[in-house]
Structure formats: C-alpha cells, structure tokens
Amino acid sequence: MSNEQVISEVVRSVLAENGLGRAAGSGLTYCTSNITLESAELLMKKVEAKAKDMGMKVVTAVADAHGNPVAVRCMDGAFMGSYDVALNKTYTAIAFQMSTEALGKLSQPGQPLYGIQYTNGGKIVIFGGGVPLKVQDAIIGAFGVSGGTAEQDTYLAHYAEEVFAQMALEN
C-alpha cells in the first residue's frame, strides 16, 4: 500500500470514529449537481456585507462539489495572501467533508490527524474559515473566507452556512 493510500485509510477511519465526515458509501453523498455561479455570487455578497459590518476586508471563495473553484471575490484592501488561503479552505472542506475548524481539532499534536496539513501539496488548511455547503446530506460545494483572525473567519464561514441553508429553503 502506498503512503497516500495509508493516509487516506487513516483519514477515513478517524473521520468515521469522530462522526465528522463520512467515507464514501457511509451516508454523506455528493450531488450530481453543483452550486451555481449565481448562488455562489449571492452567498459571497451576503458574507462580504457581514464582513464589512464587522470592519473586515476579506476574500471569499466558493468551490463546486469536486473542489473546483466557482468564484473568488476580493474586497478592496483585502490581504493578497488571503486569496490562496480562501481557495484552499474550500479545497479542504471538500477533500475531508468537514469544516476546516473541525479538521484543525483533529490535527493538533497528539491527535489522530497530526501533520495532515503537510499532505495534498500543502493545500490543507487546519484553521477555521472553510465549510462544506450541503443540501440535505449532499455536498454541493464549499465556502472559504480569509482576511480576519481565525475566530472571525470561522464566524463568517458559519454565517455563510446559515445563509446558504436559508437560500436552499427559498428555492
């Protein structure tokens, strides 16, 4: 078994044990449809308005169910480095089917996924600000935000989840 296969097997096992993500075939499924550009842009605008109210300048990103970017928006004055961070948060949320905050807890020293951030070409983010976007139990995309503290980014990501859930109910 290759190193990548061993890592994948360990990740599946840890996620299943902690009830935070689901391995293929274990209940959480991917939709054949993805988040639309229109929905992504609306979601990002709503999160940006909240960030502005908080005095923040952020980068927001949305990826489809396969981790491919759908849209990225940079507020005027946002940190240049936040662009890659926001995108990588969407990748992480899709790749591990959980928030970056939850993965961060599992990747601390002494925890079962310690060091996971050094895999996947350095694209794994282990601090808050990335969340999967779901319709019922189907992941149809992911949202990432960067530009504030980990706590502020986490807050905005959870806000995005709430806004997206409301948008899904309205459609």
Side-chain angles (χ1 to χ4, degrees):
M1 195 179 282
S2 73
N3 285 344
E4 287 296 319
Q5 289 171 319
V6 169
I7 290 170
S8 292
E9 204 51 44
V10 169
V11 168
R12 280 190 199 99
S13 171
V14 169
L15 297 181
E17 288 171 14
N18 288 280
L20 294 170
R22 303 289 184 262
S26 65
L28 191 61
T29 59
Y30 285 98
C31 247
T32 55
S33 63
N34 288 301
I35 188 166
T36 64
L37 177 59
E38 181 181 359
S39 294
E41 288 177 336
L42 180 59
L43 177 62
M44 291 188 305
K45 287 177 183 178
K46 289 183 179 203
V47 173
E48 288 169 2
K50 178 63 91 174
K52 185 176 180 182
D53 289 346
M54 296 170 65
M56 298 172 60
K57 300 171 183 174
V58 299
V59 175
T60 55
V62 174
D64 67 19
H66 304 287
N68 300 309
V70 173
V72 181
R73 290 176 47 98
C74 304
M75 292 177 70
D76 292 339
F79 295 123
M80 180 176 60
S82 292
Y83 184 92
D84 284 340
V85 176
L87 272 174
N88 287 344
K89 287 178 181 182
T90 66
Y91 174 85
T92 302
I94 291 292
F96 295 100
Q97 302 177 10
M98 69 173 79
S99 72
T100 56
E101 174 189 24
L103 184 62
K105 291 175 183 173
L106 291 172
S107 62
Q108 296 303 305
Q111 295 303 308
L113 295 180
Y114 179 65
I116 193 77
Q117 69 272 24
Y118 302 114
T119 67
N120 292 268
K123 291 171 60 172
I124 304 304
V125 178
I126 59 167
F127 46 87
V131 292
L133 298 173
K134 302 175 192 173
V135 173
Q136 297 171 356
D137 281 338
I139 295 174
I140 69 160
F143 177 85
V145 59
S146 180
T149 65
E151 291 80 16
Q152 289 170 320
D153 288 355
T154 299
Y155 172 82
L156 287 173
H158 289 304
Y159 176 75
E161 281 182 303
E162 293 172 19
V163 168
F164 184 74
Q166 186 62 39
M167 288 169 52
L169 286 176
E170 292 170 0
N171 290 326

